[in-house]
Amino acid sequence: MKSFPNYNKTRKNELPNTLNETLLPGLPDHLSQNCLTSLPPSILFSVSHAWRRLLYSSLFAPFFSLYAILSASSSCPTTKDNQVDRISSIELMSYDPMSSLWRSVPSIPKDPPLHLLHRHPSFLSRKLSVQSLTVSNHLVLISGTTHQFVPALSRPLVFHPESDKWFCGPPFTSPRRWCATGSVHGRVYVASGVGPRYSGEVARSMEQWDFRQPSNHWRWENMAPLKDGRFSREPIGAIGYKGKLYMINVKGNAPKEGLVYDVEENQWNDMPRGMLAGWNGPAATMNEDAIYVVNEVTGALSEYDCKKDCWKKVIELPELKLAEQIAAGRGRVCVVCANGETIVVVDVMARPALFWVVEPPQGQQVAGLHILPRMSS
């Protein structure tokens, strides 16, 4: 197995004082910075303390990190007093690929109180989805479930890593869960789903939020509805790809229906046959220019070829079997496996593809995964 270099010998906040250390001997710092900013972050991290300080400064463009929505593992020992709180609560953490360390993210706002469950204390064997997405380098929480099995969010919650701040999106016209959600060209879409009770109108609805607009103009707009409510059975990731949204109504290898939403034409079409036939596990888009899917039975990671309407295998790994979620970006495909207790990272730009494993924080399981710029602090 090919492993990613581990540079975790020294934590960033434990470095000695390097204010007087020269970046490049014989050059003033401003010229040195111009030379060094073209180097890969891994080199800056490993060569010297001064270079590492530059990497984490505001002078260097933030490198990308993993962000995981986490919940307590069902196998993690708990006391009777804190069992319900630990099992039902979620938190967000960031994984720094340079130092190989997990970092805490500012807590999700508690005003108003947020009850977002990954497991209900009465039904520990069943996971409750926490639906989230990325848009314009922001993480957006879209839907979840409360103890009463109703939608947990009345409006999206948004985290901006580069400012370390949370803020709220526009109120939903119909709060929902078990919906289809995705983004295309800076616009967020929510389709189908179930509100506090089932409604055929909500199950067929499609709404858009233009994230690019100034926040005082944010609102949800009704778009072309679906023909029926068959996409409200379970949480669905709508995948943005070449200006369209692609989604299926059933996970795994079961018979399924696939739809494509054309953003510019505001209309729904059937999914191409080859794409639908090979969509047999969790999928993700990379920069909206490529779609990757993991076959949860065989462990094969494949990329879609739109010209030939077929899937081309990138790599097949036993570690990818029973894949649950997938995130893609910066030439990496990150797959949540082993009941949320392992993240397999695949470098799809390498030939042949390379992979390594990232373990979540001890006692935690991954409920959602995203690739975003590192936090500013």
Side-chain angles (χ1 to χ4, degrees):
M1 169 180 155
K2 191 78 174 182
S3 297
F4 191 65
N6 188 339
Y7 303 115
N8 63 353
K9 293 182 180 180
T10 310
R11 295 175 183 259
K12 176 170 73 76
N13 57 7
E14 294 176 349
L15 294 178
N17 190 325
T18 58
L19 290 175
N20 298 320
E21 195 172 342
T22 303
L23 290 174
L24 290 174
L27 282 181
D29 278 354
H30 71 281
L31 293 179
S32 298
Q33 291 164 9
N34 291 338
C35 296
L36 295 177
T37 50
S38 62
L39 294 178
S42 57
I43 293 178
L44 290 176
F45 188 92
S46 59
V47 169
S48 72
H49 293 323
W51 287 21
R52 193 181 301 184
R53 288 184 64 252
L54 173 65
L55 173 65
Y56 285 97
S57 75
S58 60
L59 300 172
F60 196 89
F63 56 83
F64 279 66
S65 303
L66 275 179
Y67 288 78
I69 300 171
L70 301 166
S71 69
S73 171
S74 58
S75 60
C76 180
T78 59
T79 66
K80 194 170 185 180
D81 292 336
N82 72 357
Q83 183 180 23
V84 171
D85 288 340
R86 277 190 54 79
I87 290 176
S88 62
S89 64
I90 68 163
E91 64 177 313
L92 179 65
M93 294 189 73
S94 172
Y95 179 78
D96 182 333
M98 300 299 110
S99 63
S100 300
L101 295 173
W102 286 95
R103 298 181 56 198
S104 295
V105 170
S107 298
I108 298 173
K110 301 296 185 183
D111 186 20
L114 180 65
H115 303 287
L116 200 59
L117 304 186
H118 186 46
R119 279 190 178 83
H120 194 282
S122 299
F123 301 93
L124 297 181
S125 62
R126 180 173 182 180
K127 295 180 181 179
L128 301 172
S129 67
V130 178
Q131 291 183 262
S132 56
L133 55 84
T134 57
V135 58
S136 303
N137 286 338
H138 291 69
L139 187 152
V140 184
L141 294 178
I142 290 289
S143 80
T145 302
T146 71
H147 284 85
Q148 289 75 37
F149 295 102
V150 297
L153 296 172
S154 61
R155 58 200 305 163
L157 279 176
V158 185
F159 179 66
H160 184 226
E162 293 173 75
S163 65
D164 294 350
K165 294 188 182 299
W166 287 91
F167 55 91
C168 294
F172 293 115
T173 56
S174 299
R176 61 188 83 193
R177 60 194 184 106
W178 293 355
C179 55
T181 183
S183 65
V184 176
H185 299 337
R187 288 171 283 191
V188 177
Y189 294 87
V190 173
S192 194
V194 178
R197 61 191 61 84
Y198 179 81
S199 164
E201 182 178 355
V202 171
R204 294 188 298 273
S205 67
M206 171 77 159
E207 296 184 335
Q208 170 193 277
W209 163 28
D210 193 341
F211 193 82
R212 304 166 300 178
Q213 294 293 323
S215 58
N216 59 332
H217 291 158
W218 281 351
R219 62 189 179 93
W220 290 96
E221 302 175 76
N222 287 322
M223 310 305 288
L226 291 85
K227 62 182 179 180
D228 54 47
R230 282 186 283 181
F231 282 77
S232 63
R233 297 171 180 171
E234 57 182 299
I236 296 168
I239 309 301
Y241 174 62
K242 298 186 181 297
K244 299 178 181 180
L245 277 176
Y246 295 77
M247 61 189 195
I248 57 173
N249 67 334
V250 179
K251 295 179 180 179
N253 287 284
K256 59 183 71 72
E257 178 182 353
L259 289 179
V260 181
Y261 175 72
D262 189 315
V263 171
E264 298 303 323
E265 299 296 329
N266 187 29
Q267 68 179 21
W268 293 94
N269 300 296
D270 291 333
M271 182 176 284
R273 289 185 179 181
M275 174 183 274
L276 180 61
W279 198 312
N280 42 30
T285 180
M286 187 178 295
N287 303 324
E288 299 183 14
D289 288 327
I291 296 182
Y292 293 89
V293 68
V294 177
N295 187 318
E296 56 192 41
V297 175
T298 66
L301 171 67
S302 301
E303 180 182 357
Y304 180 65
D305 185 334
C306 62
K307 294 181 179 179
K308 297 181 179 180
D309 187 26
C310 67
W311 294 89
K312 294 184 176 180
K313 186 189 297 185
V314 176
I315 193 171
E316 185 169 331
L317 301 168
E319 290 87 350
L320 295 179
K321 291 181 179 180
L322 302 179
E324 296 182 354
Q325 298 189 40
I326 177 174
R330 316 297 292 183
R332 309 287 197 267
V333 175
C334 305
V335 187
V336 179
C337 307
N339 197 32
E341 297 184 358
T342 297
I343 302 169
V344 179
V345 182
V346 181
D347 183 348
V348 295
M349 297 294 104
R351 293 292 183 271
L354 307 177
F355 77 97
W356 56 94
V357 173
V358 173
E359 301 294 341
Q362 187 174 6
Q364 302 274 39
Q365 290 181 323
V366 180
L369 193 66
H370 300 283
I371 300 172
L372 290 163
R374 72 170 183 87
M375 293 186 292
S376 60
S377 60

